Amino acid sequence: MSGLDAGVDVTGQAAAREGFEALARALDGLLEGDEVYLASFSGEDSDFVRFNRGEVRQAGAVTQRTLTLDLARGRRHASGTLTLAGDLEVDRPRLARLVRDLREALGHLPEDPYFLYATEPRSSERTDAGALPEGAAAVAAVQAAAQGRDLVGIWASGAIHAGFASSLGQRNWYSTRSFNLDWSFYHRADKAVKAGYAGFTWDEAAFRRKVDWAGEQLRAVARPARTIAPGRYRVFLAPAAVHEVVSILCWDGFGLKAHRTKQTPFLKLVEGEARLDPRVTLVEHTAGGVAPNFQEQGFLRPDAVPLLRAGGYAECLVSPRSAQEYGVATNGASAGEAPESLDLAAGDLPQAEALARLDRGIWVGNLWYLNYSDRSACRTTGMTRFATFWVEGGEVVAPLDVMRFDETVYRMLGDNLVALTAERELILDANTYGGRSTSSARLPGALVDDFTFTL
Amino acid sequence: MLDEIEDLYRRTAPAGVEATSLRYLAERAERVAVRQGVLEPVARSDDAGVMVTVLAGGGQGYAATSDLTEAGLRRAFARAKGWAEATAGRGVVDFARVPRSSARAEHESPVKTPWESLPLPAKVDLLRAACEGLAADPRIVDRWAGLVGIDTDTLLLTSDGGRVRQRRRALIPQLAATANEGAETVRRTFGGGAWGRLGGLEVLEDTGFQAAPARLAREALELLAAPDCPTGTMDLLLAPDQMILQIHESIGHPLELDRILGDERNYAGTSFVTLDMFGSYQYGSPLLDVTFDPTRAEELGSYAFDDEGTPATREYVIRGGVLLRPLGGATSQARAGVAGVANARATSWNRPPIDRMANLNLEPGDSSLAALVGRVERGVYMETNCSWSIDDSRNKFQFGCEYGRVIEGGELKGVVKKPNYRGVSATFWRNLTGVGDGSTFQVHGVPNCGKGEPNQVIRVGHATPACLFAGVEVFGGAS
């Protein structure tokens, strides 16, 4: 592809960094007496191109800058979030007004017994320039890849920025330039193949391999479909499907607050009434992910926090607020106490042997729309989606019509877990709610017996 | 500010293109919450930005920015124009064919008691009292009461002379009580977080917020002691705060025209509904009447014009069980060649409009709740959604509720926990056998409907009576 902007700071990473420093200096000058501020900055300069049937549905760009300011006097504090222009002359008076408003609010607020912030400044910086295609070149590449096929999906690219500053002198800065092409090839109705290509440096050959793989899968999807009756089946969950299972567990599964208020789906595991397979080890692996390693009260995250170890519950993610409430140390979790850089340990099943080991059953390419159907029992429901196949004798026989499952994780990753693959896949989250996600997960596939389909 | 934006638009919109528009959105919000008797950090936000669009050579591009200076808008228009030119001739439609708005109007949602009229300390006191009301027993291990006040201003300007300014104020009240005993935890909430409405603090009285904590705590404790929901195929009576999810997931989403056209297939999914079904397809029993109604003032998804400037009107989408029209705005209508509704909406200034539900309501029938219960020989009554899942064609669904009661011999009996049910949209609505009257009718709002690429979460409204369904697969927990 022509039009690579390798190494060129075309979207203003340096300018964003300088703007953040200028904001912090401006805030330093606005404080009175013994006031303290904590400031979290986020921003992005993104291109978004949406495709349907290989053609462009919507194309555009988003530039946004947001600052959340927490103003504190002792244990009293008040916070406000402001969308910034990115021009200090415009933003300075708005910041001053925000500080005045928060100072006025402090007079009406009680002391917060759970307020905790980093008091020993630990500054950090991470900047990755990346090498991304220019927008028009990306559109041309995607449309060329479609080659008359029914391609639907989204191209997202550009810079993502995050920063933390405090009046104690701490400065943390994160800026990356990345792309995420999340797409599907459709055969007809709901028969399709899902694929993705994401990273920091565009590699035409890697993209072609992804497209060729999806094209091969599409040919298999085009075979006559098979419908199965509800029941229990041996399944192979591809890494994307395992990702969906692990993602639902992040909903209250690993936070200290959910743990202490008994809302965690792992309640039976914690209470010793259930156990996962000893091969299941899950880590919040910040050092191996792509997310910032600091959070909104200025705490840095350790390189790794074990969440599940050898099938048992290991540690919780602890936000500063929960740390203060429950009297334990924080490990740099954000307020939601959800993992952002998941790492599920590999097993010993060679990926190349997965079909043969499955022998007769269902190859599940993706799962979708999971939710708890009995949270206390860690039972989840959800659907198969995209390329999911009926397999006999270790060979793909037919695409499967979508099926609903309802199954406890204790069976899925416990009693009925046959194997995890030796190879793992790095999945860069394509979500763009509010802004482009920096979450990721590195996961194996899973071979599971007696997986319960219900509808 | 609005005058300033209008002036900037005139000065920065490029000449020599087919059309331009500017959509400004400013949203101020405040969240106040008390958990376990302790005030959580009060969160205020002040968000503002614009999205500009340029139509050039049949291509359309957008650019969104929070830089509202003249230089910022000039840069945004240049980027939008660049995208329009780069994608001209590569689009799903010749965007020059899409009707453009020249509407000029002002609209403001009614408010009786503005959010600002109650000082922050009084809000905190109100929430402390609500949180205290949830503390009925040591087995209540977590309790939480919160309010979110939202004030949204929008201005849509078009090169065809359009100018639509709208202001909507909303209140979202929330309560939750979590009870635990051993390895069993149950949760009871104030309508699953779906009591949000347009309006001010009067919403608290209209929704019964202050009386709710004692009931929710009592019901949470009842659930702890209750048996699991029975398993079997039986009648199912759904309260309005579960009906809203049933309507949302298995009527609203499958009728969105952009899904039918395939836009959402990579993310939110497709639809089992096809264009040839409109006008003839029997979606439900003859008792099923569903309206798209953004004109109902207190509902969360109300407005006078959508984000493409199309005037909003009330329309039947299903009447007498027959499917009549899709939920598609001007762009989707131009692509599909069918009549739709005014539902092109964007979650904020930084996302482009797509087809949304706004308010989608099930019209009341003529049965009291007692009459609906009286018709059930064996069944379950379910309240308040807590789990939702449906396939990407919006057909095979499974929902779970917080609270259930067995119905036997035409009478409500004991409480059951973890009530779940599953079915298929294409047949479920045809088994609608009873529709509650006005006495069972409630207005709710879903604050977190997710869809679109890039992703957008938006507030929608649903109003519905209680409804009775026959022959539904019902079940409980894993124990």
Side-chain angles (χ1 to χ4, degrees):
Chain A
M1 180 194 297
S2 62
L4 279 180
D5 59 7
V8 182
D9 189 22
V10 290
T11 52
Q13 281 179 293
R17 173 79 165 96
E18 287 162 16
F20 170 68
E21 286 291 343
L23 281 173
R25 285 194 297 274
L27 286 169
D28 285 337
L30 290 169
L31 295 189
E32 293 179 357
D34 58 354
E35 289 174 341
V36 170
Y37 80 77
L38 316 173
S40 290
F41 173 86
S42 65
E44 66 180 58
D45 302 284
S46 298
D47 285 337
F48 295 114
V49 185
R50 193 173 193 196
F51 298 90
N52 183 10
R53 302 190 197 286
E55 297 177 313
V56 175
R57 168 65 185 94
Q58 288 169 319
V62 174
T63 299
Q64 59 188 32
R65 305 275 185 272
T66 301
L67 186 82
T68 297
L69 181 68
D70 200 352
L71 184 70
R73 200 165 53 221
R75 300 199 74 82
R76 293 178 208 278
H77 66 121
S79 75
T81 299
L82 196 62
T83 306
L84 301 170
D87 177 337
L88 190 60
E89 292 313 303
V90 177
D91 291 329
R92 192 194 304 270
R94 300 174 67 220
L95 285 175
R97 193 164 56 244
L98 176 61
V99 169
R100 277 198 305 274
D101 289 348
L102 295 177
R103 185 174 291 137
E104 195 270 335
L106 287 181
H108 303 295
L109 294 170
E111 292 193 342
D112 182 354
Y114 305 144
F115 183 41
L116 181 68
Y117 59 91
T119 54
E120 295 176 14
R122 292 176 65 192
S123 298
S124 63
E125 179 165 357
R126 173 180 171 178
T127 301
D128 300 316
L132 314 180
E134 290 169 350
V139 170
V142 172
Q143 291 194 311
Q147 284 186 326
R149 290 175 286 214
D150 181 358
L151 180 148
V152 55
I154 185 162
W155 166 265
S157 69
I160 300 173
H161 319 289
F164 173 83
S166 79
S167 53
L168 304 178
Q170 182 167 333
R171 299 287 185 274
N172 304 94
W173 179 249
Y174 167 97
S175 181
T176 63
R177 300 182 68 240
S178 61
F179 65 90
N180 199 322
L181 175 63
D182 188 63
W183 90 95
S184 311
F185 280 151
Y186 263 79
H187 169 56
R188 62 171 179 77
D190 64 354
K191 296 295 179 291
V193 177
K194 174 90 166 177
Y197 177 44
F200 303 89
T201 299
W202 178 268
D203 178 341
E204 184 73 24
F207 177 53
R208 289 303 325 170
R209 284 195 296 275
K210 296 267 187 182
V211 170
D212 292 344
W213 173 86
E216 280 175 33
Q217 293 266 302
L218 186 64
R219 281 189 285 280
V221 162
R223 298 180 196 174
R226 176 172 296 203
T227 301
I228 60 168
R232 289 182 172 172
Y233 295 86
R234 186 174 168 96
V235 300
F236 177 78
L237 304 175
V242 173
H243 185 217
E244 291 295 320
V245 173
V246 175
S247 294
I248 187 71
L249 297 176
C250 293
W251 184 7
D252 282 346
F254 304 109
L256 182 68
K257 185 173 87 173
H259 187 96
R260 293 295 177 93
T261 60
K262 310 291 185 185
Q263 295 178 76
T264 173
F266 288 117
L267 193 55
K268 287 183 187 294
L269 189 68
V270 172
E271 299 283 330
E273 294 185 17
R275 188 95 190 151
L276 296 170
D277 187 279
R279 290 167 291 181
V280 174
T281 290
L282 184 68
V283 175
E284 166 71 338
H285 193 210
T286 300
V290 295
N293 71 338
F294 53 89
Q295 55 85 264
E296 54 271 30
Q297 279 78 37
F299 290 97
L300 298 193
R301 295 174 179 150
D303 285 351
V305 177
L307 305 173
L308 301 171
R309 186 189 291 124
Y313 204 91
E315 297 177 25
C316 291
L317 296 175
V318 185
S319 69
R321 192 167 186 80
S322 288
Q324 198 74 352
E325 180 174 0
Y326 299 109
V328 299
T330 180
N331 51 23
S334 291
E337 299 184 330
E340 295 179 33
S341 307
L342 282 166
D343 183 297
L344 181 62
D348 58 6
L349 171 66
Q351 175 72 33
E353 296 175 16
L355 261 181
R357 287 285 299 278
L358 174 60
D359 185 32
R360 178 184 169 84
I362 300 163
W363 177 285
V364 180
N366 301 77
L367 294 173
W368 190 66
Y369 217 137
L370 273 66
N371 209 321
Y372 297 116
S373 61
D374 181 351
R375 185 187 287 227
S376 294
C378 209
R379 191 181 73 186
T380 64
T381 186
M383 296 298 306
T384 63
R385 191 176 178 187
F386 297 112
T388 294
F389 301 102
W390 178 251
V391 172
E392 286 182 9
E395 299 284 338
V396 168
V397 174
L400 202 68
D401 286 325
V402 295
M403 289 295 292
R404 171 166 295 287
F405 73 89
D406 199 27
E407 185 61 282
T408 76
V409 173
Y410 297 123
R411 286 169 45 85
M412 201 187 310
L413 297 179
D415 297 344
N416 295 337
L417 180 66
V418 178
L420 295 165
T421 57
E423 298 87 349
R424 297 189 296 170
E425 191 173 315
L426 176 63
I427 296 173
L428 298 176
D429 189 3
N431 278 341
T432 48
Y433 285 108
R436 285 162 53 215
S437 172
T438 54
S439 293
S440 65
R442 193 181 298 274
L443 307 146
L447 187 62
V448 179
D449 261 342
D450 287 337
F451 192 80
T452 308
F453 290 103
T454 56
L455 184 67
Chain B
M1 186 66 194
L2 297 184
D3 289 343
E4 208 174 304
I5 292 291
E6 206 164 346
D7 183 51
L8 279 173
Y9 173 55
R10 283 198 208 94
R11 285 193 276 130
T12 58
V17 297
E18 290 154 57
T20 64
S21 73
L22 179 151
R23 182 169 53 81
Y24 166 80
L25 183 143
E27 187 164 283
R28 290 159 297 284
E30 184 174 50
R31 174 187 173 276
V32 188
V34 172
R35 177 176 164 262
Q36 305 285 65
V38 175
L39 178 67
E40 297 202 312
V42 175
R44 293 172 170 170
S45 62
D46 187 352
D47 182 25
V50 298
M51 173 169 283
V52 300
T53 66
V54 170
L55 180 67
Q60 188 175 53
Y62 69 78
T65 181
S66 51
D67 183 354
L68 303 182
T69 62
E70 180 166 344
L73 260 66
R74 285 194 191 284
R75 277 194 294 270
F77 269 119
R79 292 192 79 178
K81 185 166 179 276
W83 274 116
E85 290 167 348
T87 58
R90 295 171 175 267
V92 295
V93 66
D94 176 357
F95 287 94
R97 286 203 298 113
V98 178
R100 300 197 294 267
S101 175
S102 57
R104 300 185 68 82
E106 300 232 346
H107 171 76
E108 194 158 319
S109 65
V111 170
K112 289 180 190 162
T113 311
W115 172 259
E116 303 78 21
S117 68
L118 191 68
L120 178 59
K123 291 187 183 102
V124 173
D125 289 345
L126 185 153
L127 290 169
R128 280 191 197 284
C131 195
E132 187 58 29
L134 294 165
D137 188 281
R139 290 172 294 171
I140 304 280
V141 293
D142 200 30
R143 52 199 163 83
W144 184 86
L147 296 176
V148 183
I150 305 164
D151 188 343
T152 310
D153 254 315
T154 58
L155 176 68
L156 177 65
L157 305 169
T158 71
S159 55
D160 296 276
R163 183 191 187 281
V164 176
R165 183 250 164 186
Q166 301 187 85
R167 184 182 183 192
R168 293 187 288 273
R169 283 173 280 182
L171 185 82
I172 301 175
Q174 294 182 310
L175 297 164
T178 302
N180 168 264
E181 200 160 36
E184 189 65 275
T185 298
V186 296
R187 196 159 183 258
R188 197 73 179 99
T189 66
F190 189 48
W195 272 115
R197 291 184 179 179
L198 291 190
L201 293 162
E202 69 275 11
V203 171
L204 298 179
E205 187 173 344
D206 295 346
T207 59
F209 179 79
Q210 277 154 307
R215 174 178 60 83
L216 296 176
R218 185 186 71 243
E219 290 176 351
L221 296 172
E222 287 173 2
L223 287 168
L224 263 191
D228 259 22
C229 179
T231 297
T233 300
M234 60 190 79
D235 284 353
L236 175 64
L237 178 57
L238 296 180
D241 60 4
Q242 169 56 27
M243 275 300 298
I244 60 171
L245 255 291
Q246 189 67 57
I247 295 165
H248 183 92
E249 303 290 4
S250 77
I251 293 180
H253 280 308
L255 298 194
E256 289 163 346
L257 189 49
D258 60 346
R259 295 179 71 113
I260 295 169
L261 291 168
D263 291 352
E264 289 284 338
R265 291 174 298 162
N266 185 58
Y267 181 60
T270 181
S271 176
F272 73 92
V273 173
T274 51
L275 287 174
D276 59 316
M277 292 180 177
F278 292 97
S280 60
Y281 180 73
Q282 193 72 37
Y283 204 97
S285 82
L287 297 174
L288 183 63
D289 291 329
V290 178
T291 56
F292 170 84
D293 189 4
T295 69
R296 188 169 177 123
E298 78 275 34
E299 276 196 86
L300 207 49
S302 294
Y303 47 80
F305 290 81
D306 73 6
D307 288 331
E308 288 179 339
T310 306
T313 56
R314 178 176 186 262
E315 305 288 349
Y316 274 88
V317 295
I318 297 172
R319 193 165 207 175
V322 176
L323 185 61
L324 297 180
R325 68 170 66 205
L327 303 175
T331 301
S332 293
Q333 290 174 45
R335 293 165 63 195
V338 298
V341 296
N343 71 328
R345 303 176 65 201
T347 183
S348 188
W349 56 267
N350 60 1
R351 294 290 183 263
I354 55 177
D355 292 339
R356 287 297 198 160
M357 275 177 241
N359 300 322
L360 193 70
N361 303 336
L362 198 149
E363 298 297 313
D366 56 8
S367 299
S368 67
L369 189 67
L372 292 173
V373 171
R375 285 160 51 183
V376 176
E377 189 54 39
R378 178 174 176 267
V380 175
Y381 165 75
M382 297 190 193
E383 266 186 20
T384 317
N385 183 271
C386 67
S387 177
W388 58 100
S389 176
I390 189 164
D391 75 34
D392 62 305
S393 302
R394 297 281 150 173
N395 230 339
K396 291 182 176 181
F397 63 78
Q398 179 169 317
F399 296 127
C401 292
E402 292 178 0
Y403 186 81
R405 290 185 68 179
V406 169
I407 308 174
E408 286 174 352
E411 291 183 10
L412 277 172
K413 302 285 191 182
V415 174
V416 290
K417 67 183 176 188
K418 302 177 185 175
N420 288 275
Y421 66 98
R422 59 173 78 101
V424 176
S425 299
T427 53
F428 181 79
W429 291 102
R430 293 177 193 169
N431 290 332
L432 175 67
T433 56
V435 177
D437 61 16
S439 69
T440 76
F441 191 77
Q442 293 178 354
V443 175
H444 288 272
V446 174
N448 56 349
C449 175
K451 184 183 168 184
E453 292 178 307
N455 305 148
Q456 306 193 37
V457 64
I458 209 162
R459 298 183 284 271
V460 304
H462 297 298
T464 175
C467 285
L468 181 64
F469 299 86
V472 181
E473 191 181 348
V474 168
F475 58 101
S479 53

